[in-house]
Structure formats: structure tokens, C-alpha cells
């Protein structure tokens, strides 16, 4: 024991210690200890005081100077002990070292072993870790020890894996019978709970017999674990691993549940295998009440030289059809050499009705052509490239079609050479497109053969801030070698076509400062004209391999050809005139509003057509108009109009309004009208429908989300979505009902029910993809944790 006189003047007794090191000699006046010093951490360099107990409340401790790294500081109302051996701190005791703060009613620090024992109202703080309980024992430097009956809170920040992604802070808390410290970032708990909810009264928690938290690997391991939600057990695992900071981790994912009239009750229990940082696999057995059992597998890989995804689904026997059913898909991209790239995209299903029967998604149910292709691309510089392609399709024929769809031609192979070189002599620009393609078809009633194309172009652009003028001239040369079917035996097998193409593109740019509703803007006026001249050449005996008429719109009226592909080069002597006006924010340059109107004028009648197409005879094309912009800070309008002035009727009209005052608050109304089918041009196949959708808070953390699409022409509802969401802070609940019709006689209905436990997993089938796709402005009320394994369905 030593005299209080050795303690320097302090309101509260305190002793400082340096990091463990060689023992320091005892100062004079220290009474010898009965125990010789043992190997271990060095004793404190200051004296271990033994003042008389003080009466009354402890004096307030002033801020102490920052400790040196590794130094130990102990304060209390009363300190006594043996220097270099054991120090006892009583009354508001506190030990500090680096970012570790251990406090309690009574604290014993053994400097030889660097061990601290704390009793009564014990609290440990280290960075974002907070643990409290009645008793604790801890080796400070080694982070070894135990806590009795602890309440704990641990939080870590996730690492951003996507550019621009904001890291999330994920906190876990709970209590246990005993908490063991097994080294830095290593914890083990007996009879413990874990939750991301507020620790006082969690809505859900993981209750486990044994819980290991490994923050080095960012993995939690639970044995004998139950998920308790609102005091009700909803799931039990004998063993499970889960990510502690939202990172990928091997283990069973929460099951997904759903139901539809196509498959009945739908349950999937996926297992996620994190094979390596750049390889993973998801294995998902799926049970469908009406259909039977399906096994789904998804494998993903990513390396500096290649990446891809393999998906396989297999059902040994469908209870409805009695057949084996399967799906396979492979997407692969690879860097073969500098500038040389390859890709494979293969897709196949066992039967035509696969997606219609087993999918709950509109876009998947209406799939017709499944792509199968391999591609090589060579890009040696920034002005030219070459590629080779082999391509075919699997065409699905279902009862949905009045007439079976025609399978597209196969390209076996297609060779392309593209070049675009600017800043040549006299300011000219050179462009080139060359192609060789061999077309094949499984139906021998179709033409087959090869097509060779050369299309060099030379432009002379004049560009200034206030205007631009770009004349361009090119020659489109094409040669066909054909194998005709028997019923076309009299037509030419070898065809050559050579056409000059001239275009002139010019525009002006006007700007002015203006004010609307008290707000200053920069307004532009941008008139543009586009002239095209292509002479006529009879192309009626050229088969149609890949050509179709472009959809009429602003992009099409400023193009030199009416048709896609290379089998039809439209004759043209026409000019397009359009004007655009925009309102720009003068501070940021952001576009607030845009209005455009344009029309094409013809000087000759149309002579080149596709088979069955009626040639145009009028001198004016339809007038196009479009408007989009933010009317207010919370409201926006988007509209497009196609008007046939020759017949004095509207061909197409779209109008949409969105009101979105805040996140997860959006209301949409859209009207769509088309007099005829966009692709076929058949008037009877046009449509007119109204679409109302939205998401809105209903109060007390409840949100409603819905969409209704009604066909005014057919007087029926084609799609309906109705859902409810609840944000519980650390959990979210969603349910949605989806009804859609691929045709009036075939209606599919699906039910989605999902419970998300933030930071752990999700239970049920997720409607998030459906809602994001169907409701413009939809906002997830919480950060999603898990989705159905193959959410594209």
C-alpha cells in the first residue's frame, strides 16, 4: 500500500499506465508485495493509491488529456491496491485504453495479466460496440473474456460493392445468458437473441441456443434458432448462417410463398452458396400444388477476363400435362485478347407453354422468340470495328395466337465491318458499313441465301454554336445469291442493287432569357430540316429476310430509310421540318420542359413497299407533336400525338400525368389510343385504354399501392394490381394481388405475400419487381433484404 501523498492533486483518484513493457522500479516508500512479479503486462508507472474512503458524492472529473496509444487510465471514487499487481477501483469506476471504456460499480485490474473484472452496472464501450450487464471479465489487449447476462448492441458499416452506392450501417442488438469475447471482432453467446430492431422492445428477433458473431468474416452463425415475430415463432433452423452487414453469405435463404391459378400453392426454399468472392450459386427446390416439384439452379461467375450466368430449371413430371419440363439459359461474355471480345447467349425451354404455365410475369408469359447466338467483336481502334455472329431462335407457339408466329431467319453467319472517321481532308467525315450474311430457315417454303452489302458515306459538316449544316452522300450496294422455293422458281436467283443516297441535315439554335410564373429560365428555339433523296429501283423480287417498317415517330422522320434491315431501301424525295422549344434551368442546365412539333413532306408517290403494304400516295405524312415537363415541383406531364391531316383523324395519342410530392407518394393517370396496330397496321387491332396507378401512405405506417388498366375498346379490365405495405422500422410487410390477361379467354392470377426482416432475410414471395415495373414512381418503403431466387419470374 502507498501513501496518498504520492497521488498528485486530482478531484478524483486516478492512475495512468503505459502499454505493457519492461517492469519499472518501485518508488521509495512502497511496501514490498508478498508475490514476486510474474511474466505478463508491465505494471503501471504511477503509484497505486490507497486514500481513505471519501464521504458524500464524488467530485466531478475534469476532462483528462488524451492518452498515449496503448496507455491505460483508471478513475474511481476510491482506488487501492498493489503497484504492478492489482488495482481495485470502487465507486463510479472506469478504465480507458484507446477506444475501450469499461465502467462499473467496482473494478479490479490485474496489470500482470492485463485482466479487468467489473461488477455492478457494468458497461463496455468499444467503437460502435456497447455491452452492459451485472458482471464482466476481460483481457483488454487480447479481447478475451466473458459478460454475464449482457445486453448488447453491435453495429458495422457495409462495404459498397456498386459504384455510387451509399454504405449502410447495420446494427444488431439483443441479450444473452453469457457473452464470450474470443478475440477482436469475435463473439459467442449462449441462449441469445439478435435483432436489428430497437433493443428495448424488438418486434422480431432471432432466438438461438448458440450464436457466433464473426465480424472479420461478417457472418453470424446460429444453432437451434427460431425467428420470433410479434412474440410468435414463425420459423425454426437447426443451423443457419446470416450476413452481419448485408454481404453475401452461404446458407439457406428464407422460403418464398405464393399462389396462382396456374401453379396453385407455390413454395420455394432456396439455398445460397457463396463459392468465392467472384462465384456463387443458388439452388432452389420449388413446390407447386398443381404442377409438382421443380429444381432451379442459378450459377454466376465474374473474373477480370470473363463473366456470365447459367440458369437451369427442371421438373421431372408436370401433374397437369404429364410431361417432363425444363429450361436452360446461358449468358457469357469474355475478353479473348486486347480488343477482341466474345459472347454467348443461349436460351431454351422444353415446350411452347413453359412460360405461360409456370410464370407469374406478364412479359415472361408473352415471350415468343428465345434468342440463341454467339458473337465475336474486334475493336482495334476508336474508329472501326468488325464482328461475326451466328444467330437463331426457338419460337414458341401457344393457343394465345390466332395465327402461329413466323420463326425469324437464322444468320449463319453474319459478318460486319463498321467505320466512322472524322476530321479528314477539308473537314469531311467518312462512314462505312459492310455486311455479309447467310440466311437460313427451317421451313423450306421460305427463301434462303446470302446478302452482301457495302455502304460507304461521306459527309461535310459545318457546325457553329448558332447553326449546323451537314450534307452527306453515300452509295448503297447490295448483292443477293438466293435459293428459291419451288413456288418461286421463275424469279431471279442473283440480284444486284446499287442506289445513291443523299441527305441534308440543318438546324438553328436560338436562346433567350425568360420568366414563367416568377421563375427565370433559359428558353431555346431549335428549328430543324432534314432532306432525303434516294432514286427508285424495283425491289419486288427481293425476299424479305430481316426488313420491317419502322414505327412512325420523331426518330423515324429523321432517318433516311423507312425500313429496318437491308432488304428494302425506300425511294425518297422528301423533307422533314420540325421545331423544338425547351426551358432550361439557368443555374444547373436541367431541362424543365420540352415541346416539339414536326412533319414530313413528300415530293413523289411511294413505289418501294413490303409485300402486302399499300403504297403512300399523299404528299404529307402525319403531324407529330410531343410535350413533356414538370408543371410544378411535384407534378409532371408527358404527351404525344400523331394526327392524320389527310383523313382528319388522330392515329395515336398518349397522355400521362404524375403527381409525386415525396418519396413513396405517387399518383399516375395515363391514357393511350392507337387507331391501328403499331406493327401490322391493321385498324381492327388498335387499342384504347386508361391506366390509373399509384402508391400512397394510408396512415400509421401503412401504404397502399394499386394499378388498374381498362381497355375502353374491349370494355374489360386487362390488368389489376392491389397491394398493401407496412413499414415497421426494422421490418416490412407486403401483400399484393395481380391479375392479368394475355388474351380475353386466358386470365392469370397471382398472390404475393412477403415479410422482410431488415438485416436478416425475407419470408414469402416478393412483389417488389412487379410494383416497380407497373407503378411509375413506386418507392420501396424499406431497403429490400432478399428477393425470390429467380425474381425475373
Amino acid at each position: 500500500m502507498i501513501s496518498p501523498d504520492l497521488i498528485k492533486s486530482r478531484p478524483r483518484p486516478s492512475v495512468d499506465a503505459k502499454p505493457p513493457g519492461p517492469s519499472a522500479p518501485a518508488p521509495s516508500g512502497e511496501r514490498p508485495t508478498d508475490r514476486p512479479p510474474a511474466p505478463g503486462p508491465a505494471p503501471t508507472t504511477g503509484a497505486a493509491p490507497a486514500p481513505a474512503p471519501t464521504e458524500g458524492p464524488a467530485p466531478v472529473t475534469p476532462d483528462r488529456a488524451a492518452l498515449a496509444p496503448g496507455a491505460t487510465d483508471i478513475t474511481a471514487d476510491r482506488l487501492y491496491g498493489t503497484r504492478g499487481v492489482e488495482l481495485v477501483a470502487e465507486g463510479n469506476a472506469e478504465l480507458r485504453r484507446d477506444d475501450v471504456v469499461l465502467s462499473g460499480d467496482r473494478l479490479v485490474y490485474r496489470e500482470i495479466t492485463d485482466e479487468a473484472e467489473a461488477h455492478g452496472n457494468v458497461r463496455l464501450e468499444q467503437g460502435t460496440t456497447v455491452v452492459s450487464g451485472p458482471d464482466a471479465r476481460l483481457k483488454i489487449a487480447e479481447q478475451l473474456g466473458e459478460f454475464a447476462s449482457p445486453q448488447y448492441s453491435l453495429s458495422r458499416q457495409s462495404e459498397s460493392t456498386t459504384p455510387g452506392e451509399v454504405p449502410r450501417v447495420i446494427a444488431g442488438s439483443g441479450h444473452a445468458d453469457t457473452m464470450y469475447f474470443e478475440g477482436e471482432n469475435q463473439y459467442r453467446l449462449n441462449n441469445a437473441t439478435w435483432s436489428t430492431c430497437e433493443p428495448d422492445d424488438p418486434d422480431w428477433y432471432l432466438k438461438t441456443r448458440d450464436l457466433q458473431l464473426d465480424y472479420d468474416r461478417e457472418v453470424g452463425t446460429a444453432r437451434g434458432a427460431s425467428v420470433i415475430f410479434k412474440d410468435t415463432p414463425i420459423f425454426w433452423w437447426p443451423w443457419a448462417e446470416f450476413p452481419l452487414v448485408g454481404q453475401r453469405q452461404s446458407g439457406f435463404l428464407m422460403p418464398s410463398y405464393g399462389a396462382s391459378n396456374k401453379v396453385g400453392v407455390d413454395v420455394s426454399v432456396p439455398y445460397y452458396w457463396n463459392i468465392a468472392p467472384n462465384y456463387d450459386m443458388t439452388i432452389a427446390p420449388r413446390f407447386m400444388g398443381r404442377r409438382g416439384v421443380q429444381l432451379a439452379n442459378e450459377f454466376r461467375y465474374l473474373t477480370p477476363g470473363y463473366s456470365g450466368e447459367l440458369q437451369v430449371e427442371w421438373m421431372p413430371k408436370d401433374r397437369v400435362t404429364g410431361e417432363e419440363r425444363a429450361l436452360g439459359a446461358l449468358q457469357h461474355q469474355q475478353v479473348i485478347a486486347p480488343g477482341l471480345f466474345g459472347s454467348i447467349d443461349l436460351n431454351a425451354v422444353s415446350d411452347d407453354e413453359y412460360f405461360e404455365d409456370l410464370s407469374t410475369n406478364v412479359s415472361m408469359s408473352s415471350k415468343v422468340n428465345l434468342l440463341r447466338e454467339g458473337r465475336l467483336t474486334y475493336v482495334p481502334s476508336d474508329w472501326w470495328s468488325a464482328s461475326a455472329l451466328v444467330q437463331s431462335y426457338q419460337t414458341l407457339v401457344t393457343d394465345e395466337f390466332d395465327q402461329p408466329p413466323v420463326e425469324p431467319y437464322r444468320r449463319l453467319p453474319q459478318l460486319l465491318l463498321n467505320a466512322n472517321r472524322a476530321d479528314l481532308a477539308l473537314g469531311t467525315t467518312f462512314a462505312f458499313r459492310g455486311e455479309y450474311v447467310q440466311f437460313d430457315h427451317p421451313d423450306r417454303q421460305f427463301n434462303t441465301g446470302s446478302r452482301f452489302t457495302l455502304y460507304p458515306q461521306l459527309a461535310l459538316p459545318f457546325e457553329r454554336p448558332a447553326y449546323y449544316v451537314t450534307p452527306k452522300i453515300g452509295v448503297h450496294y447490295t448483292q443477293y445469291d438466293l435459293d428459291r422455293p419451288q413456288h418461286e422458281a421463275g424469279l431471279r436467283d442473283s440480284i444486284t442493287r446499287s442506289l445513291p443516297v443523299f441527305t441534308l441535315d440543318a438546324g438553328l439554335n436560338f436562346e433567350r432569357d425568360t420568366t414563367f410564373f416568377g421563375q427565370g429560365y433559359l428558353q431555346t428555339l431549335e428549328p430543324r430540316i432534314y432532306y432525303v433523296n434516294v432514286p427508285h429501283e424495283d425491289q419486288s423480287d427481293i425476299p424479305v429476310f430481316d426488313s420491317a417498317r419502322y414505327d412512325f415517330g420523331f426518330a423515324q422522320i429523321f432517318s433516311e430509310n423507312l425500313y429496318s434491315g437491308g432488304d428494302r431501301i425506300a425511294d425518297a424525295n422528301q423533307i422533314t421540318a420540325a421545331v423544338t422549344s425547351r426551358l432550361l434551368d439557368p443555374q444547373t442546365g436541367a431541362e424543365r420542359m420540352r415541346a416539339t412539333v414536326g412533319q414530313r413532306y413528300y415530293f413523289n408517290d411511294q413505289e418501294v413497299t413490303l409485300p402486302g403494304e399499300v403504297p403512300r400516295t399523299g404528299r404529307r405524312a402525319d403531324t407529330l407533336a410531343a410535350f413533356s415537363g414538370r408543371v410544378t415541383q411535384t407534378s409532371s406531364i408527358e404527351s404525344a400525338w400523331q394526327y392524320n391531316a389527310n383523313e382528319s383523324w388522330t392515329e395515336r395519342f398518349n397522355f400521362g400525368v404524375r403527381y409525386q410530392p415525396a418519396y413513396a407518394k405517387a399518383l399516375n393517370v395515363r391514357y393511350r389510343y392507337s387507331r391501328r396496330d403499331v406493327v401490322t397496321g391493321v385498324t381492327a387491332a388498335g387499342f384504347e385504354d386508361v391506366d390509373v396507378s399509384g402508391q400512397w401512405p394510408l396512415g400509421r405506417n401503412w401504404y397502399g399501392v394499386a394499378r388498374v388498366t381498362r381497355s375502353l375498346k374491349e370494355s374489360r379490365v386487362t390488368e389489376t394490381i392491389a397491394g398493401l405495405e407496412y413499414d415497421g422500422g426494422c421490418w416490412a410487410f407486403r401483400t399484393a394481388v395481380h391479375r392479368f390477361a394475355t388474351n380475353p379467354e386466358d386470365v392469370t392470377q397471382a398472390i404475393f405475400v412477403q415479410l422482410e426482416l431488415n438485416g436478416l432475410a425475407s419470408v414469402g414471395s416478393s412483389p417488389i419487381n412487379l410494383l416497380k415495373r407497373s407503378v411509375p414512381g413506386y418507392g420501396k418503403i424499406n431497403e429490400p433484404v432478399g428477393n425470390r431466387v429467380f425474381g425475373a419470374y
Side-chain angles (χ1 to χ4, degrees), residues 362 716-720 739-748:
V362 179
R716 67 183 182 94
V717 174
T718 57
E719 184 175 17
T720 303
R739 178 187 183 276
F740 67 91
T742 53
N743 59 62
E745 290 76 31
D746 189 3
V747 177
T748 298

Side-chain angles (χ1 to χ4, degrees), residues 37 80 124 198 205 248 268 284 308 499 509 581 587 745 747 749:
Y80 62 91
L124 172 67
E198 291 297 325
Y205 57 90
R248 298 183 296 129
S268 178
L499 291 168
N509 298 311
S581 182
Q587 302 300 323
E745 290 76 31
V747 177
Q749 302 179 53

Side-chain angles (χ1 to χ4, degrees), residues 377-420:
T377 303
Y378 181 56
V379 187
S381 71
D382 59 355
W383 69 272
W384 74 276
S385 64
S387 64
L389 171 75
V390 290
Q391 182 185 82
S392 65
Y393 294 88
Q394 179 184 0
T395 299
L396 308 182
V397 181
T398 67
D399 297 335
E400 173 188 350
F401 301 98
D402 297 330
Q403 295 182 351
V406 177
E407 182 175 340
Y409 274 93
R410 301 168 180 172
R411 302 169 190 258
L412 304 172
Q414 180 186 43
L415 306 176
L416 291 173
L417 177 63
N418 293 297
N420 196 330

Side-chain angles (χ1 to χ4, degrees), residues 248-250 272-282 298-310 332:
R248 298 183 296 129
Q249 174 58 41
S250 297
Y272 178 77
W273 183 13
N274 187 28
I275 304 171
N278 57 333
Y279 295 90
D280 65 8
M281 180 183 292
T282 304
E298 182 184 54
F299 174 66
R300 301 184 301 177
Y301 52 95
L302 175 65
T303 72
Y306 59 88
S307 63
E309 179 178 327
L310 173 65
H332 177 85

Side-chain angles (χ1 to χ4, degrees), residues 32 165 350 352 565 597 641:
E165 180 185 2
S350 57
D352 293 340
V597 61
W641 182 36

